[in-house]
């Protein structure tokens, strides 16, 4: 069977029907984008291969368990798994002590710095993602005030004008939004500190 | 003007995983069996 022009959904259906060749096509179709995404951030060929492998082990497990439901978004879903594994790697690496060279100048310090920046920005991105999901769970009026204040950086006077309420109401909604957000963070165990 | 580095042209941007990594995944997939217990729980088995 020729899968060279098959869509992801067709490859997945065939794979789940027992055609292992479909998985090979699926991996080979996306390997370059996923592996590039990993190696650019990890900068280590062995680790990047490990993370690529772990990513697809999760993909295979999920597909075989019949839990995959991201219709038409296979690549984004797989990239998300890879992204989370990269973050896990950086978090683990941060906890592990490393040997430091004693020379006054070491080129690896410069490389390490840039990798830390990538790490920090990825963790920040993850935290922001978590925070946005929690904000979406707030009551509509509270969500609106919080977004206008923090993301659009409007003053409470401007928020009051825009939402057609008094400044006190806008302030009150903001206060409840923060209280509820804190509760949601505790409930979902989201930690905003890096 | 010097060249601009982007994710697209950064070293490693067009690499692929090793052949043995992909081969491992294909072997893993063939060996993996998901069985459903009477309790409804799914269990992964790796066949030899």
């Amino acid at each position: 069977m020729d899968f060279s022009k098959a869509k992801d959904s067709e490859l997945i259906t065939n794979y789940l029907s027992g055609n292992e060749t479909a998985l090979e096509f699926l991996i080979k179709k996306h390997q370059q984008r996923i592996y590039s995404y990993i190696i650019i951030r990890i900068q280590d060929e062995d680790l990047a291969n490990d993370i690529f492998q772990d990513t697809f082990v999760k993909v295979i497990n999920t597909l075989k368990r019949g839990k995959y439901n991201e219709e038409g978004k296979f690549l984004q879903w797989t990239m998300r798994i890879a992204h989370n594994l990269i973050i896990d790697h950086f978090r683990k690496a941060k906890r592990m002590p490393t040997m430091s060279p004693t020379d006054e100048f070491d080129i690896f310090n410069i490389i390490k710095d840039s990798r830390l920046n990538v790490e920090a920005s990825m963790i920040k991105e993850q935290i922001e993602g978590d925070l946005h999901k929690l904000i979406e769970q707030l009551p509509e009026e509270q969500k609106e005030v919080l977004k206008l204040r923090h993301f659009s950086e409007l003053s409470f006077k401007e928020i009051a004008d825009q939402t057609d309420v008094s400044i006190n109401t806008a302030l009150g909604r903001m206060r409840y939004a923060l209280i509820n957000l804190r509760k949601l963070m505790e409930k979902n165990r989201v930690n905003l500190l890096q | 003007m010097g060249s601009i580095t982007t994710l697209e042209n950064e070293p490693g941007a067009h690499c692929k995983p090793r052949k043995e990594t992909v081969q491992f995944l294909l072997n893993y997939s063939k060996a993996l069996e998901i069985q459903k217990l009477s309790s409804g729980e799914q269990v992964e088995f790796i066949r030899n």
Side-chain angles (χ1 to χ4, degrees), chain A residues 15 20 23-24 27-28 31-33 35-37 39-41 43 45-46 49-50 52-54 56-57 60-61 64-67, chain B residues 6-8 10-26 28-34 42-44 47:
Chain A
Y15 172 57
E20 294 284 336
L23 175 71
E24 189 173 353
I27 293 175
K28 290 190 171 165
Q31 63 178 357
Q32 189 172 309
R33 286 191 68 179
Y35 184 76
S36 299
Y37 183 82
I39 190 76
I40 285 167
R41 287 156 180 83
Q43 303 276 317
E45 212 177 304
D46 291 334
N49 273 276
D50 283 351
F52 182 87
Q53 187 175 296
D54 289 348
F56 270 94
V57 163
I60 291 165
N61 289 347
K64 285 216 169 182
R65 279 173 176 266
K67 303 277 184 192
Chain B
T6 65
L7 286 182
E8 288 298 314
E10 197 169 338
H14 301 291
C15 295
K16 288 177 185 175
R18 292 178 190 134
K19 279 183 185 164
E20 54 265 41
T21 303
V22 175
Q23 194 53 53
F24 168 87
L25 290 165
L26 299 177
Y28 173 81
S29 170
K30 282 178 193 159
L32 181 71
E33 213 169 73
I34 306 285
Q42 287 182 321
V43 183
E44 290 163 14
R47 278 179 291 154

